[in-house]
Amino acid sequence: MSPARRLPPAAQALIDGDRRALARLITGAENDDPGAREVLRAIYPRTGHAWLVGLAGPLGVGKSSLINALLAHLRSLGKKVAVVAVDPSSPFSGGSVLGDRIRLDRPPDDPGIFIRSMATRGHAGGLARATREVARLLEAAGFGIVLVETVGSGQVDVEIRQVATTSVVVLVPHLGDEVQTLKAGLFEIADVFCVNKSDLPGADRARRDLTELASLGSVDPGWRVPVVATSTTIPSGIPELWQAIEAHEHYLDSSGKRLEGERRRLTQEILALAESRFVADLSRDPSLPRRVEPVLARRIDPETAARRWWQERRKGRA
Amino acid sequence: MPAAKKQPPIRVLIAKPGLDGHDRGAKVVARALRDAGMEVIYAGLRQTPEAIVQAAMEEDVDIVGLSILSGAHMALIPKILELMRKERSGRIPVFVGGIIPDEDARQLRKLGVKAIFGPGASLQEIVKSAKHLAGRAS
Ligand SMILES: Nc1nc2c(ncn2[C@@H]2O[C@H](COP(=O)(O)OP(=O)(O)OP(=O)(O)O)[C@@H](O)[C@H]2O)c(=O)[nH]1
Ligand SMILES: [Mg+2]
């Protein structure tokens, strides 16, 4: 006779669609609160089916405007959709101005939409540390589609692949040295290319260039990266952008790549979580100050000191 | 870094209800609060009371700051306070910046506004008050 597995009350409220409970739990996940941890543990088995669509790309290319247009489109299709918009924290004050909401207007009484702004709080890679956990909370609350906007530094937003099932890289005509941006890693993360601001001159050219680049091969040889031209001001290309995203999600299912991607993401997530524990543990090791001295005196080099430390700890465990 | 011991940042919503067209003041305040280590959700111009209350809830903020210059404060602010109570956000402290006559200010305080800043208020004053309202007075 096993007792019925009761969910923690906050988890039950979340699943029942209590938006305030959702908002509080997101804060808890960001702050690494024990209560939110417990809820995340409880809901985990129910998650893993949402479409997590990442929008990455340089500053000001129109990521928020595109999300705004996609919101309207997805609501017209009857889909529930959540948005997580990430902006950088100041390395000096730790504070942040989160401004993506400015571009997002929607009927305030629509329960099919939930928007949350997050600061990176020192986390590198264009996302906040808790982005994955926040996405799980949103999924458990019934949002089958989660749109994630990265900070927009362009070069370092590679972590979107750690979260998103489909990554959209947004560029604009005449981005300056576009090829440079692509070299810096955006090319490797794109499942879909979007040339936004296609109302501006040079859009056709940009689209052709990208299509050519995309045909050189993507990270996944089975997927041909589509290039979609959009404009949020006209507007145009929004249904086509969504179709391209949907096609990629369907490709993931039909090819078995969804599971493969999830395995890769979870491997990375466990590694990162374990790493932060190891690092915390190491930095508390009382032998650390003593290990620095011979390095400071130039008797051994840092690498040797680190290797010896590691070996001694391994022996200590054996 | 012993990040675990640090207090999480104060989250504050800065919004501008009503129809007046510029938000320089609100932006300056937003930046000052950021420089004091807060996470400022900046909702922008011409927000309806409903949208402001919705944003405060979704963003789970500790405080709400309203900037209003249009003179429509006596129509908009009581509406926002009322909606916040209805949406179970009644305990989130609200402060207001703008040109507000003394008599109106008295009335707004009675309705629940926690602090009011006129055009002469210093940024330090506003930051200090925001910390205090968020329960983090130093
Ligand atoms: N001409 C034109 N302008 C656009 C288009 N989409 C967005 N913009 C403008 O581009 C500017 C930036 O738009 P956002 O949507 O805030 O861009 P973003 O990529 O989210 O910006 P960050 O979050 O700051 O990186 C705004 O002034 C928009 O009005 C478009 O399709 N055409
Ligand atoms: Mg944006």
Side-chain angles (χ1 to χ4, degrees), chain B residues 90-138:
Chain B
R91 268 180 309 181
I92 304 175
V94 174
F95 69 93
V96 173
I99 306 165
I100 293 174
D102 287 351
E103 180 48 38
D104 292 354
R106 255 193 300 281
Q107 188 130 17
L108 289 175
R109 282 209 185 82
K110 233 190 279 169
L111 289 172
V113 171
K114 293 287 185 247
I116 296 174
F117 300 100
S122 74
L123 289 172
Q124 284 110 301
E125 210 180 318
I126 296 173
V127 166
K128 193 167 164 222
S129 167
K131 278 187 183 162
H132 175 75
L133 291 177
R136 305 268 186 86
S138 37

Side-chain angles (χ1 to χ4, degrees), chain B residues 33-88:
Chain B
L33 295 174
R34 174 199 64 191
D35 293 343
M38 299 183 203
E39 287 178 2
V40 184
I41 294 92
Y42 186 65
L45 287 167
R46 288 188 267 279
Q47 295 288 304
T48 63
E50 287 79 7
I52 290 170
V53 173
Q54 160 105 313
M57 190 274 284
E58 288 183 345
E59 300 287 355
D60 191 26
V61 292
D62 302 298
I63 33 175
V64 173
L66 303 173
S67 160
I68 186 158
L69 296 168
S70 62
H73 49 269
M74 292 317 279
L76 291 168
I77 294 171
K79 178 89 200 281
I80 292 167
L81 294 170
E82 186 202 317
L83 280 173
M84 284 178 74
R85 265 193 301 277
K86 257 214 304 247
E87 299 288 321
R88 295 182 292 151

Side-chain angles (χ1 to χ4, degrees), chain A residues 64-125:
Chain A
S64 301
S65 307
L66 281 166
I67 286 177
N68 190 47
L70 285 171
L71 275 179
H73 181 63
L74 290 168
R75 289 308 288 148
S76 78
L77 301 176
K79 312 243 187 232
K80 283 184 79 173
V81 45
V83 177
V84 178
V86 184
D87 277 312
S89 300
S90 156
F92 304 107
S93 70
S96 180
V97 174
L98 309 167
D100 295 306
R101 265 192 113 93
I102 298 174
R103 308 255 173 250
L104 306 174
D105 66 298
R106 76 339 160 135
D109 54 352
D110 182 354
I113 294 178
F114 193 97
I115 298 168
R116 180 69 174 230
S117 316
M118 287 174 86
T120 55
R121 299 192 181 176
H123 189 80

